[in-house]
């Protein structure tokens, strides 16, 4: 008997009985992605969480994402298969550290990447994700100072894209993306000189990728800095035979499904997020059977955090 088919059927039946929607991030294991109702990047999943009619959201992703779903849908039950699925990037700043940073820059606008806790979002003016960070920064008047947190590589990317020098960046990083290094990138490009290149802006190699593109070492028209959702859009229409992908390797599953004719290769095949992979098939089933772990956000914190997330969602509508 096909164990995975039986597992998927049980998951789907339990979800239907409870009027639950299953949302999965692009970095989830392939089995989890395939059983979900929707797979997407953090912005798409936030929008889906805000719009769903389901009573329960089963969030297959990391804790800050499930928390964002709860912030947007406070009357819904939001379950994460394990609350232990954290994020090393979100852990680089807490609310006390942010309050101290704000005190050093009175009047600055605080832009928080969604990879932050609810308490940090509550101290922020507006959130952003990797797919809208540039637009969010551009929504702030040019003469207003910006505190951008917590990812320094994404911060460097928005500084480059907007040409603004009044952006202060928190020195946080995602251990998975920071480990996709310039030497991994050069090695992959040397082995695949005709390939196209997709780089997530959280990567340690994103600055080198752009530098190589601007110096002509690698063709600029084949170098793209993209969020996970942006990578999927690009994959659907690419005519390249090979695409080198610099992000967490769970992404390859959706890219290969989107365009089976192209060979998508990881720049660093070890780039796997252990927090994302904590959502196992067993825990998914347990979440549906037992309702563990339900995500709660203190109402006053949620109200402030919601304002920051909703300002982001309104941009680009
Ligand atoms: P996006 O889904 O916004 O591209 O984010 C990537 C990420 O690292 C989430 O953990
Ligand atoms: Fe956090 Fe990095 Fe994992 Fe994304 S890949 S959840 S940023 S640790």
């Amino acid at each position: 008997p096909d164990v995975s088919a039986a597992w998927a059927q049980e998951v789907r039946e339990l979800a239907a009985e409870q009027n639950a929607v299953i949302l999965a991030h692009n970095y989830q294991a392939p089995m989890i992605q395939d059983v979900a109702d929707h797979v997407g990047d953090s912005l798409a999943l936030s929008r889906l969480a805000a719009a769903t009619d389901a009573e329960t959201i089963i969030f297959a992703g990391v804790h800050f994402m499930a928390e964002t779903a709860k912030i947007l849908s406070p009357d819904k039950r939001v379950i994460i298969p394990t609350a232990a699925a954290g994020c090393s990037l979100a852990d680089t700043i807490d609310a006390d550290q942010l309050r101290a940073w704000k005190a050093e820059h009175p009047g600055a606008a605080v832009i928080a990447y969604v990879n932050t806790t609810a308490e940090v979002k509550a101290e922020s003016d507006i959130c952003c994700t990797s797919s809208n960070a540039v637009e969010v920064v551009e929504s702030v008047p040019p003469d207003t100072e910006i505190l951008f947190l917590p990812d320094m590589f994404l911060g460097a990317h928005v500084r480059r894209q907007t040409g603004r020098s009044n952006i202060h960046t928190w020195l946080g990083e995602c251990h998975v993306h920071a480990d996709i290094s310039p030497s991994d990138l050069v090695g992959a490009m040397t082995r695949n000189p005709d390939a196209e290149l997709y780089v997530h802006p959280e990567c340690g190699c994103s600055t080198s990728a752009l530098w190589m593109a601007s110096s002509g070492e690698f063709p600029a028209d084949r170098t793209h800095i993209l969020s996970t959702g942006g990578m999927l859009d690009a994959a659907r229409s690419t005519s390249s035979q090979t695409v080198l992908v610099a992000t967490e390797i769970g992404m390859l599953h959706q890219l290969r499904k989107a365009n089976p004719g192209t060979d998508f290769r990881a720049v660093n095949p070890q780039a796997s997020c252990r927090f994302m992979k904590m959502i196992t098939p067993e825990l998914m089933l347990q979440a549906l059977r037992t309702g563990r772990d339900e995500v709660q956000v203190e109402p006053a914190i949620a109200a402030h955090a919601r304002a920051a997330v909703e300002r982001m969602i309104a941009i680009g509508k």
Side-chain angles (χ1 to χ4, degrees):
D2 184 344
V3 180
S4 61
W7 168 83
Q9 191 181 345
E10 188 171 357
V11 167
R12 295 303 331 152
E13 281 170 7
L14 286 168
E17 276 168 25
Q18 298 170 35
N19 187 16
V21 66
I22 301 176
L23 304 182
H25 189 265
N26 287 322
Y27 297 162
Q28 289 291 295
M31 249 174 107
I32 303 287
Q33 295 191 22
D34 291 345
V35 87
D37 293 287
H38 304 282
V39 184
D41 69 2
S42 45
L43 178 60
L45 296 178
S46 301
R47 288 187 196 275
L48 284 160
T52 182
D53 291 331
E55 286 164 53
T56 298
I57 298 169
I58 307 286
F59 209 107
V62 292
H63 195 262
F64 75 81
M65 296 181 176
E67 228 178 28
T68 306
K70 181 70 184 174
I71 288 165
L72 289 169
S73 300
D75 300 331
K76 297 198 162 89
R77 210 160 64 112
V78 176
I79 311 280
I80 182 165
T82 169
C87 168
S88 61
L89 176 57
D91 285 346
T92 64
I93 185 164
D94 64 21
D96 285 338
Q97 288 171 303
L98 176 52
R99 279 189 282 268
W101 199 28
K102 282 163 69 171
E104 288 168 23
H105 298 274
V110 178
I111 302 184
Y113 194 31
V114 284
N115 297 39
T116 43
T117 61
E119 289 79 11
V120 166
K121 288 185 178 74
E123 286 290 332
S124 303
D125 295 304
I126 183 164
C127 286
C128 74
T129 73
S130 54
S131 58
N132 63 14
V134 171
E135 286 151 277
V136 168
V137 166
E138 280 171 347
S139 75
V140 175
D143 51 352
T144 301
E145 244 187 330
I146 291 177
L147 302 183
F148 188 92
L149 64 103
D151 190 81
M152 60 175 162
F153 297 112
L154 183 61
H157 173 65
V158 292
R159 274 176 75 114
R160 267 192 310 263
Q161 292 293 305
T162 61
R164 285 175 69 142
S165 54
N166 59 353
I167 304 177
H168 305 279
T169 304
W170 190 255
L171 294 181
E173 62 176 30
C174 152
H175 69 293
V176 181
H177 285 90
D179 277 357
I180 306 175
S181 67
S183 62
D184 292 332
L185 184 65
V186 172
M189 292 191 318
T190 311
R191 289 189 298 276
N192 302 278
D194 299 325
E196 206 177 346
L197 178 64
Y198 297 172
V199 182
H200 194 280
E202 278 178 30
C203 286
C205 64
S206 57
T207 305
S208 323
L210 283 176
W211 188 82
M212 288 169 79
S214 66
S215 66
E217 266 182 80
F218 196 78
D221 61 349
R222 286 198 260 126
T223 303
H224 310 284
I225 308 287
L226 297 165
S227 70
T228 61
M231 288 183 188
L232 266 175
D233 290 341
R236 287 191 189 99
S237 58
T238 187
S239 50
S240 298
Q241 250 176 0
T242 306
V243 175
L244 302 173
V245 182
T247 193
E248 207 276 351
I249 52 174
M251 188 66 221
L252 295 168
H253 184 58
Q254 286 301 314
L255 292 171
R256 288 170 181 158
K257 276 171 81 165
N259 191 340
T262 295
D263 182 9
F264 294 95
R265 292 188 194 172
V267 167
N268 177 349
Q270 314 302 323
S272 175
C273 174
R274 68 186 170 87
F275 301 111
M276 285 283 179
K277 303 311 190 274
M278 281 181 185
I279 313 297
T280 59
E282 294 74 25
L283 288 179
M284 173 64 86
L285 210 46
Q286 177 191 286
L288 283 155
R289 284 182 183 149
T290 67
R292 276 200 355 243
D293 291 337
E294 186 167 353
V295 177
Q296 303 287 1
V297 182
E298 211 253 294
I301 301 233
H304 282 107
R306 189 176 311 123
V309 177
E310 282 177 346
R311 274 185 214 116
M312 166 186 87
I313 289 183
I315 288 179
K317 259 192 181 168

